[in-house]
Amino acid sequence: MTPELFIQYLFAGITYGIIYAIVAIGFNIIYNTTGIINFAQGEFVMLGGMIVITMHAFMPMPLAIAVAVLITMGVGALIEMFFIRWLQSPSVLRMIIITIGISILAREAALHIWGESVRTLPYFIGNEVTSVEILGARISPQVLWVIGVCSLMVAGLSLFFKFTSLGREMRACAANRRAATLCGINTKNMVTLSFVLSAGIGAMAGCVMSPITYSEYDMGPGLAIKGFTVAILGGLGNSVAAVTAGLLLGIIEAFSISVLPLAFKDAIATSILLIILFIRPHGLFGSSEAASLKEF
Amino acid sequence: MDLLKRYIPVLFLLALVVIIQLVTQFTETTYYLTQLTMSAYYSVVVIGLCVLMGYGGQISLGHAGFFAIGGYLAGTLTTHNLLPFKEQGLVVFLDKVGFLVAGKDLYGGDLLTVEPWAACIGAVLASGIIALAIGGPVLKLKGHYLAMATLGFGIIIYRIVLASAYFGEADGISEVPGFMLLPGIEVSGSFRARTLNYYIAWGMVICGVILLLNLIHSRVGRALRSIHGAEEAANAMGVNTARYKLYIFVLSAVFAAFAGVFMTHYNGGIGPSEAGIMKSVRYVAIVAVGGMANLWGALVMGIVLNFLSLRGVFGSYDDAVFGAILIIIMLFAPQGILKINLWQQVKQLLSHLNPAFRQENTE
Amino acid sequence: MKRVLSSVFAVVISFCLIAGFTPASVARAENIKVGAILAVTGGASFLGGPESRTLEMMVQEINATGGINGNKIELIVKDSAGDPEKAISFAKQLIEEDKVFAIIGPSTSGETMKIKNIAEEAQMILISCAAAEVIVNPVAKYVFKTPQKDSHAVEKIYGTMKDMGISKIAILTGNTGFGNAGKGQLEKIAPEFGIEILASEVYDKKETDLSAVVAKLMANKDIQAVVNWSIVPAQGILAKNMRQAGWEVPLFQSHGFGNIKYVEAGGAASEGIIFPAGRLLVAEDLPDTNPQKALLIKYKNDYESKFTDQVSTFGGHAYDALTILVRGIKKAGLDKEKVRDAIENLQGVAGTAGIFNFSPEDHNGLDINSFEMLTVKDGKFAIYQK
């Protein structure tokens, strides 16, 4: 394998890895505050992409992105308020079924609003054939945008959770909800905030990746499954590990092409999911005690 | 007498099945039997899943995979030509035992395939063995992890049938011959055999229901209910929870496989859509709507929803309808549609909106 | 016990409601019922969507001008979402319940093969919009299809390659029925044209990035051209990935590229793509003597003004199916058997996919001249000039 090929694979792997990581972080944020796995996470990414393309017809790109992210955040808040908020200690099965239902409805709504065809955002810099040369490999500038924006989001989130009072309140909520309520934290709002945040980062990812991957109504479930694999791989609830796990999965998938037929690429993620679940369900970086303490 | 009381609903069902068939005959609307037959096969999957989810307390988001294993294996064994392999040991053995049958393919050439009965047994056996193999590690998981593991299983089956030429890739299997159960009784989609196939399908449903009813009221059933209620307590009482959970998992897989085999012969083929996530989600939706531990509720919902869907009543909104049903039932009637307690739920909603209405709520 | 009774009651009631609700075939002798099983939603919606819209548009127009010999057409569209079991159920429904005159569709080959025998047994005319060879080979009396032969498309591509002096290629195909059929034909016909396939990869229909596989293939300097055979958005993604990586070898596509949206999605990377297609996409550039030109331009204008959607060759398959059916009815009246015979003997019918010449052995009716080699120039389709 030549160095250029290696770098090419590496970049392909990092691009997708970081997208999976964003979806996984979205899962983790909601899971941490509510214990719910949000099967509709992929739909947030889809909505971001679809809305920004529609908005772009009326306004310049940066504004369109901002609007798309805000609208998707609104959708996230609405979902929480209408479907999640008023359930009292629901069972795991119930929550899974509800979020699956939400995911289906979001997809069907997108189908009937925007139709079945793929849509794409123009590249932020250049067009479909421009590329920059990095270490011998040629990649599209959009890839750099994806990596840059997603890394910024990850960094922003860690700062948010560590240094802002709101972030600390959310972490308190995640650690022990009852104790947090006793401390005067409005846990209900924290739950809404977690949905809003997850929706926001998903939508942002959807906007930046749209020129590369196209947006269509059906793109949610595939991303959600990969995102969930990454979340579990890193340890459910652990966002820093999710980034590592995401990059790992992306890179494995990209390099697998050099040894396996392309047709097996998707089977890799699913196989990893099953292997991890069977062997080490608390993930590579999670601890089994912490995992078993979490209520299911 | 208790025994008889248990079976009275079954007799009702039987009577209903016969009445509906006669009604359609008199009103010249026998075409309904087609969708009723297909719904019956889907309901076999549903009742098996119902016992797994309701009584065993195990989520399965990949049950369409077992249906597909049964259907695809039956389909491929009865359509793929073994003539090129005539000399190989296994083929010779199967021939000696009488499992092979000669025929003609699409273009008039000679065809050597497996006999449908043998294919059926093989397919169901394979499904059971696979369930046994993955059941062990999968059932050790709980909650979300269990759900995702079953989902992963379903996806792998889907990917396998979609990617292999042996399973027909995206086009699936076609030209599956009829399945001669006994001389004169054949499972096939031919128009002449419509009434017969209707009774075969419903016969399977009724047998399945009787078997499951016996199971629920037996020692195994009680063990299962204890597991569902409080697994640690059951363990403490000496109930071998792992073994029972595995048992019911394999049983539900076998149910799904049988349904898959018969449906494939009835339809004359099968496609990858039968293994997809959406199918699995539908089965779960139907069980949830019918009531997790309510065999009859699940059966009724299985028939009604599949019937309407197969008649195209939902039009282009088919998936959306299932999604909406999932949400509405889980929000308002988590115990299933027959235990709906609307007033309770409304009070709960109001109590959230206005503290003045706040009441003691138990889930 | 009460619960069981109530549920039984519910079932009986709902059954009666449904049975009662469904209107019995009101056989107003004037209406010709035409059934259509199409994948309007679901994974094959880029086929079924344009097809169902085309049919609705055409039926509206025919009825507005008085129908066929005074009889109006009643179109019944069933959305199968690409699921074979739904196609089977709808086929039986259309045949027995709605008692339609003929069925158009389904959109995919998998579904068509599942209902081929049903249509044949019920002696129902079936004009499929799916491409697989096996639909009309072996020939079934009542089953026809309108899309062109995959083998002709491949022959056109290889012929062009031979002219360009290309002999070593890589092929990429999607894992749909269309992609698999194409792969089979590409591999089968290659030796006849002296083409050697150095690499062959299959990607998932939902694939969103092919840059890694492009890098892998690019490393093989012997590859002179790439053929991509699929009907999914990945067609455009491949083009982008190739050009971004600086791989300038000719890129050939299949007739699945026949929608300007894929060109737009590929943007600047779509320049220079060569592919075989029906002449619909370059209708204006045809000489006025071309028998298809007038109807192509009319179809294009009607479709694009009625729907906010660009015309595509996929919708054209449904156009051809209805055109053929209407011709048959015009010739033979309302006797199903006579119409079937009429269709089987139609000659020189101009459609979007080409000129149809049916015969008892050929229920597809199109030959290699139904294809024109097209290319993309300045973001638009143009006829490929050697």
Side-chain angles (χ1 to χ4, degrees), chain C residues 194-239:
Chain C
I195 308 266
E196 199 188 327
I197 300 177
L198 296 180
S200 170
E201 297 277 0
V202 177
Y203 53 84
D204 185 66
K205 56 182 181 261
K206 292 239 175 303
E207 189 59 67
T208 53
D209 179 64
L210 290 161
S211 58
V213 79
V214 163
K216 178 181 173 191
L217 291 174
M218 215 171 123
N220 186 344
K221 304 280 177 224
D222 290 331
I223 296 180
Q224 297 167 302
V226 175
V227 181
N228 176 50
W229 197 285
S230 67
I231 210 164
V232 292
Q235 297 173 93
I237 294 180
L238 177 66

Coordinates of all heavy atoms in Angstrom, one line a residue, chain C residues 194-239:
Chain C
G194 N -13.7 -8.1 -26.7 CA -12.3 -8.1 -26.4 C -12.0 -7.2 -25.1 O -10.9 -6.7 -24.9
I195 N -13.0 -7.1 -24.3 CA -12.8 -6.3 -23.1 C -12.4 -7.2 -21.9 O -13.0 -8.2 -21.7 CB -14.1 -5.5 -22.7 CG1 -14.6 -4.8 -23.9 CG2 -13.9 -4.6 -21.5 CD1 -14.2 -3.4 -24.0
E196 N -11.4 -6.7 -21.1 CA -11.0 -7.5 -20.0 C -11.4 -6.7 -18.7 O -11.1 -5.5 -18.5 CB -9.5 -7.6 -20.0 CG -9.0 -8.8 -19.1 CD -7.5 -8.8 -19.0 OE1 -6.9 -8.4 -20.0 OE2 -6.9 -9.1 -18.0
I197 N -12.1 -7.4 -17.8 CA -12.6 -6.7 -16.6 C -11.5 -6.9 -15.5 O -11.4 -8.1 -15.0 CB -13.9 -7.2 -16.1 CG1 -15.0 -7.0 -17.2 CG2 -14.4 -6.5 -14.8 CD1 -16.3 -7.5 -16.9
L198 N -10.8 -5.9 -15.1 CA -9.7 -6.1 -14.2 C -10.2 -6.1 -12.7 O -9.6 -6.6 -11.8 CB -8.7 -5.0 -14.3 CG -7.9 -5.0 -15.7 CD1 -6.9 -3.9 -15.8 CD2 -7.3 -6.3 -15.9
A199 N -11.3 -5.4 -12.5 CA -11.8 -5.3 -11.1 C -13.3 -5.2 -11.1 O -13.9 -4.5 -12.0 CB -11.2 -4.1 -10.4
S200 N -13.9 -5.7 -10.1 CA -15.4 -5.7 -10.1 C -15.8 -5.5 -8.6 O -15.5 -6.4 -7.8 CB -16.0 -7.0 -10.7 OG -17.3 -7.1 -10.4
E201 N -16.5 -4.4 -8.3 CA -16.9 -4.2 -6.9 C -18.4 -3.9 -6.9 O -19.0 -3.3 -7.8 CB -16.2 -3.0 -6.3 CG -14.7 -3.2 -6.2 CD -14.3 -3.9 -5.0 OE1 -15.1 -4.3 -4.2 OE2 -13.1 -4.1 -4.8
V202 N -19.0 -4.4 -5.8 CA -20.5 -4.2 -5.6 C -20.7 -3.3 -4.4 O -20.1 -3.5 -3.3 CB -21.2 -5.5 -5.3 CG1 -22.7 -5.3 -5.0 CG2 -21.0 -6.4 -6.5
Y203 N -21.5 -2.2 -4.5 CA -21.7 -1.4 -3.3 C -23.2 -1.4 -3.0 O -24.0 -1.7 -3.8 CB -21.2 0.1 -3.6 CG -21.8 0.7 -4.9 CD1 -23.0 1.3 -4.9 CD2 -21.0 0.7 -6.0 CE1 -23.5 1.9 -6.0 CE2 -21.5 1.3 -7.2 CZ -22.8 1.9 -7.2 OH -23.2 2.4 -8.3
D204 N -23.4 -1.0 -1.7 CA -24.8 -1.0 -1.2 C -25.6 0.2 -1.9 O -25.0 1.2 -2.2 CB -24.7 -0.8 0.3 CG -26.1 -0.9 0.9 OD1 -26.7 -2.0 0.9 OD2 -26.6 0.1 1.4
K205 N -26.9 0.0 -2.0 CA -27.7 1.0 -2.7 C -27.7 2.3 -1.9 O -28.0 3.3 -2.5 CB -29.0 0.5 -3.0 CG -29.8 0.0 -1.8 CD -31.2 -0.5 -2.3 CE -32.0 -1.0 -1.1 NZ -32.0 -2.4 -0.8
K206 N -27.4 2.2 -0.6 CA -27.5 3.4 0.1 C -26.1 4.1 0.3 O -25.9 5.0 1.2 CB -28.1 3.2 1.5 CG -29.5 2.8 1.5 CD -30.3 3.8 2.3 CE -31.8 3.6 2.3 NZ -32.3 3.6 1.0
E207 N -25.1 3.5 -0.4 CA -23.7 4.0 -0.2 C -23.6 5.5 -0.4 O -24.2 6.0 -1.3 CB -22.8 3.3 -1.2 CG -21.4 3.5 -0.9 CD -20.9 3.0 0.5 OE1 -21.0 1.8 0.7 OE2 -20.6 3.9 1.3
T208 N -22.9 6.1 0.5 CA -22.7 7.6 0.4 C -21.3 8.0 0.1 O -21.1 9.2 -0.1 CB -23.2 8.3 1.7 OG1 -22.5 7.7 2.7 CG2 -24.7 8.2 1.9
D209 N -20.4 7.1 0.1 CA -19.0 7.5 -0.2 C -18.2 6.4 -0.8 O -18.2 5.3 -0.3 CB -18.3 8.0 1.1 CG -16.9 8.4 0.8 OD1 -16.7 9.4 0.1 OD2 -16.0 7.7 1.3
L210 N -17.7 6.7 -2.0 CA -16.9 5.7 -2.7 C -15.5 6.0 -2.8 O -14.7 5.4 -3.6 CB -17.5 5.4 -4.1 CG -18.9 4.7 -4.0 CD1 -19.7 4.9 -5.3 CD2 -18.8 3.3 -3.7
S211 N -15.0 7.0 -2.1 CA -13.6 7.5 -2.3 C -12.6 6.5 -1.9 O -11.6 6.4 -2.6 CB -13.4 8.8 -1.4 OG -13.6 8.5 -0.1
A212 N -12.9 5.6 -1.0 CA -11.9 4.6 -0.6 C -11.8 3.6 -1.8 O -10.7 3.2 -2.1 CB -12.3 3.9 0.7
V213 N -12.9 3.2 -2.3 CA -12.8 2.2 -3.4 C -12.2 2.8 -4.7 O -11.5 2.1 -5.4 CB -14.1 1.5 -3.7 CG1 -15.0 2.4 -4.5 CG2 -14.0 0.2 -4.3
V214 N -12.5 4.1 -4.9 CA -11.8 4.8 -6.0 C -10.3 4.8 -5.8 O -9.6 4.5 -6.7 CB -12.4 6.2 -6.1 CG1 -11.5 7.1 -7.0 CG2 -13.8 6.2 -6.7
A215 N -9.9 5.1 -4.6 CA -8.4 5.1 -4.3 C -7.8 3.7 -4.6 O -6.8 3.6 -5.2 CB -8.2 5.5 -2.9
K216 N -8.6 2.7 -4.2 CA -8.0 1.3 -4.4 C -7.9 1.0 -5.9 O -6.9 0.5 -6.4 CB -9.0 0.3 -3.8 CG -8.6 -1.1 -3.9 CD -9.7 -2.0 -3.2 CE -9.5 -3.4 -3.5 NZ -10.6 -4.2 -3.0
L217 N -9.0 1.4 -6.7 CA -8.9 1.1 -8.1 C -7.9 1.9 -8.9 O -7.3 1.5 -9.8 CB -10.3 1.3 -8.7 CG -11.4 0.3 -8.3 CD1 -12.8 0.7 -8.8 CD2 -11.1 -1.1 -8.7
M218 N -7.8 3.2 -8.4 CA -6.9 4.1 -9.1 C -5.5 3.6 -9.0 O -4.7 3.9 -9.9 CB -7.0 5.5 -8.4 CG -6.9 6.7 -9.3 SD -7.2 8.1 -8.3 CE -5.7 9.0 -8.5
A219 N -5.2 2.9 -8.0 CA -3.8 2.4 -7.8 C -3.4 1.4 -8.9 O -2.3 1.2 -9.2 CB -3.7 1.7 -6.5
N220 N -4.4 0.9 -9.6 CA -4.2 0.0 -10.7 C -4.1 0.8 -12.0 O -5.1 1.1 -12.6 CB -5.3 -1.1 -10.8 CG -5.0 -2.1 -11.8 OD1 -4.1 -2.0 -12.7 ND2 -5.7 -3.2 -11.8
K221 N -2.9 1.0 -12.4 CA -2.7 2.0 -13.6 C -3.2 1.4 -14.9 O -3.3 2.1 -15.9 CB -1.2 2.3 -13.7 CG -0.6 3.0 -12.5 CD -1.0 4.4 -12.4 CE -0.4 5.0 -11.1 NZ -1.4 5.8 -10.3
D222 N -3.5 0.1 -14.9 CA -3.9 -0.6 -16.2 C -5.3 -0.3 -16.6 O -5.8 -0.5 -17.7 CB -3.7 -2.1 -16.1 CG -2.3 -2.5 -16.1 OD1 -1.5 -1.7 -16.7 OD2 -1.9 -3.5 -15.5
I223 N -6.1 0.2 -15.6 CA -7.5 0.4 -15.8 C -7.7 1.6 -16.7 O -7.3 2.7 -16.4 CB -8.3 0.6 -14.5 CG1 -8.2 -0.7 -13.7 CG2 -9.8 0.9 -14.8 CD1 -8.9 -0.6 -12.4
Q224 N -8.4 1.4 -17.9 CA -8.5 2.5 -18.8 C -9.9 3.2 -18.7 O -10.1 4.3 -19.2 CB -8.4 2.0 -20.2 CG -7.0 1.4 -20.5 CD -7.0 0.6 -21.8 OE1 -7.7 -0.3 -22.0 NE2 -6.1 1.1 -22.7
A225 N -10.9 2.5 -18.1 CA -12.2 3.1 -18.0 C -13.0 2.5 -16.9 O -12.6 1.4 -16.5 CB -13.0 3.0 -19.3
V226 N -14.0 3.1 -16.4 CA -14.8 2.6 -15.4 C -16.2 2.5 -15.8 O -16.7 3.5 -16.5 CB -14.7 3.5 -14.1 CG1 -15.7 3.0 -13.0 CG2 -13.3 3.5 -13.6
V227 N -16.9 1.4 -15.6 CA -18.3 1.3 -15.9 C -19.1 1.2 -14.6 O -18.8 0.4 -13.8 CB -18.7 0.1 -16.7 CG1 -20.2 0.0 -17.0 CG2 -17.9 0.1 -18.0
N228 N -20.0 2.1 -14.4 CA -20.9 2.1 -13.2 C -22.3 1.7 -13.6 O -22.8 2.3 -14.5 CB -20.9 3.4 -12.5 CG -21.8 3.4 -11.3 OD1 -21.7 2.5 -10.5 ND2 -22.7 4.3 -11.2
W229 N -22.8 0.6 -12.9 CA -24.1 0.2 -13.3 C -25.0 0.2 -12.1 O -25.0 -0.7 -11.3 CB -24.1 -1.2 -13.9 CG -25.3 -1.6 -14.6 CD1 -26.5 -2.0 -14.1 CD2 -25.4 -1.7 -16.1 NE1 -27.4 -2.3 -15.1 CE2 -26.7 -2.1 -16.3 CE3 -24.6 -1.4 -17.1 CZ2 -27.2 -2.2 -17.6 CZ3 -25.0 -1.6 -18.4 CH2 -26.4 -2.0 -18.6
S230 N -25.8 1.2 -11.9 CA -26.8 1.3 -10.8 C -27.8 2.3 -11.2 O -27.8 2.9 -12.2 CB -26.1 1.6 -9.5 OG -25.6 2.9 -9.6
I231 N -28.8 2.4 -10.2 CA -29.9 3.3 -10.5 C -30.1 4.2 -9.3 O -31.1 4.9 -9.2 CB -31.1 2.4 -10.9 CG1 -32.0 3.2 -11.8 CG2 -31.9 2.0 -9.6 CD1 -33.0 2.2 -12.5
V232 N -29.1 4.3 -8.5 CA -29.2 5.0 -7.2 C -28.3 6.2 -7.2 O -27.5 6.4 -8.1 CB -28.8 4.1 -6.0 CG1 -29.8 3.0 -5.9 CG2 -27.5 3.5 -6.3
P233 N -28.5 7.1 -6.3 CA -27.7 8.3 -6.2 C -26.2 8.1 -6.2 O -25.4 9.0 -6.6 CB -28.1 8.9 -4.8 CG -29.4 8.4 -4.6 CD -29.5 7.1 -5.2
A234 N -25.7 6.9 -5.9 CA -24.3 6.7 -5.8 C -23.7 6.9 -7.2 O -22.4 7.1 -7.3 CB -24.0 5.3 -5.4
Q235 N -24.5 7.0 -8.3 CA -23.9 7.2 -9.6 C -23.2 8.6 -9.6 O -22.2 8.7 -10.2 CB -25.1 7.3 -10.6 CG -25.8 5.9 -10.8 CD -27.0 6.1 -11.7 OE1 -26.9 5.9 -12.9 NE2 -28.1 6.5 -11.1
G236 N -23.8 9.5 -9.0 CA -23.3 10.9 -8.9 C -22.1 10.9 -8.0 O -21.1 11.6 -8.2
I237 N -22.2 10.2 -6.9 CA -21.2 10.2 -5.8 C -19.9 9.7 -6.4 O -18.8 10.2 -6.2 CB -21.6 9.5 -4.6 CG1 -22.8 10.2 -4.0 CG2 -20.5 9.3 -3.6 CD1 -23.4 9.5 -2.7
L238 N -20.0 8.6 -7.2 CA -18.9 8.0 -7.8 C -18.1 9.0 -8.7 O -16.9 9.1 -8.6 CB -19.3 6.8 -8.6 CG -18.1 6.1 -9.3 CD1 -17.1 5.5 -8.3 CD2 -18.6 5.0 -10.3
A239 N -18.9 9.7 -9.5 CA -18.3 10.7 -10.4 C -17.5 11.7 -9.6 O -16.4 12.0 -9.9 CB -19.4 11.3 -11.2

